[in-house]
Amino acid sequence: MFPIETFNLTKKFNGLVAVNKVSLKIKEGEIFGLLGPNGAGKTTFISMLCTLLKPTSGRAKVNGFDIIKEQNEVRKSIGIVFQDPSLDNRLTGRENLEMHAGLYGVPKEERKKRIDEVLRLVGLYERANELVRNYSGGMKRRLEIARGLIHYPKVLFLDEPTLGLDPQTREHIWEYIKKLAEKENITILLTTHYMEEADALCNRVAIMDYGEIKVLDTPENLKNSLEGDILMLEIKNGKNFFEKVKKLHSVKKIHIAENKISMTVRNAEKFAPKVLEFARKNKIFVNSISVRKPSLGDVFLHYTGREIREEMGEGKEMMKRRARIL
Ligand SMILES: Nc1ncnc2c1ncn2[C@@H]1O[C@H](COP(=O)(O)OP(=O)(O)OP(=O)(O)O)[C@@H](O)[C@H]1O
Ligand SMILES: [Mg+2]
């Protein structure tokens, strides 16, 4: 049995298709990432799996339970950490967990032991009796993760677990997530629009855009699927030079933005001097040239034709579309 299985899962908000016929199977013990920009449909997808939103069509099972017919069983068997924080700032860390353990019916005699256990897991045991109001952003997020684990869920949903945190705190949280996946033996489905996060944490990643899964594999295979390295070139003059570069043999995929070009090429180290020579002949002044291995950002660009960083404008556009519909 797969802890998470979806079949053509679809959600429409009036005219807008937020999640479009998504079918996937997530394996036991896996850390699975949904990577996509703002508005891709990530939160909508996991909200359906958590039974917080009803699908428009399609089916899904979580821990073997049907998300429409067996909502209570689904809810009891999962832990959720959502994008918007929902801790009580007036209580201490421990009190927040006690409240949640009560809500989820963790037997009284087990509560203290379990609370201590999850506090240790996220490194907050020593700070548990302080008011959450005085916690840092990273501590709050760790407490939320601990809270999602209190009732021994088999599947944990993490919606943007490190959103808004600084890079150092983010890496810290990745370590905790890896540790809990090992120690608690659970399956984790997380969403993110940070490609480094998907790369560092996930066993498999699905790239999501406009509600659809574009490609799904291990980060390693996804990066290898580009079959080449990334060569970046920045020039000072003559943008139509790029049109000529495009036609050069061995350029597989290109993306042009202003005076920069990024190309997927085989044997990039050998190709780079040729490009420089070509530029010199065409009297083009090159500002910089670099070669690197593909990142998941390049994979995203390859399969969607857009940069994941274009997310801000995208988000605004989505908000407008949403406003028009509502
Ligand atoms: N309740 C709603 N009513 C109408 N439209 C909605 C609703 N919830 C989400 N949408 C729309 O569905 C699309 C997907 O939104 P969703 O929140 O799932 O994206 P996301 O990938 O989680 O984005 P983000 O990275 O910003 O969290 C967006 O276009 C959004 O505007
Ligand atoms: Mg979201």
Side-chain angles (χ1 to χ4, degrees), residues 193-207:
H193 61 269
Y194 298 123
M195 45 224 170
E196 306 84 2
E197 180 157 288
D199 204 355
L201 256 185
C202 300
N203 304 113
R204 283 193 305 155
V205 173
I207 288 185

Side-chain angles (χ1 to χ4, degrees), residues 11-14 16-19 34-47 53 83 159-160 163 191-193 208 210-211 311 314-315 317-323 325-326:
K11 180 70 187 179
K12 292 182 187 163
F13 293 111
N14 297 319
L16 185 118
V17 188
V19 173
L34 270 185
L35 174 68
N38 285 150
K42 307 180 295 292
T43 301
T44 305
F45 181 70
I46 63 172
S47 298
L53 264 183
Q83 215 168 337
D159 195 14
E160 305 268 2
L163 187 73
T191 75
T192 185
H193 61 269
M208 194 170 194
Y210 293 118
E311 67 189 70
E314 191 73 20
E317 184 50 36
M318 280 296 181
M319 294 304 279
K320 273 193 234 149
R321 272 166 75 181
R322 185 167 167 177
I325 284 163
L326 290 177

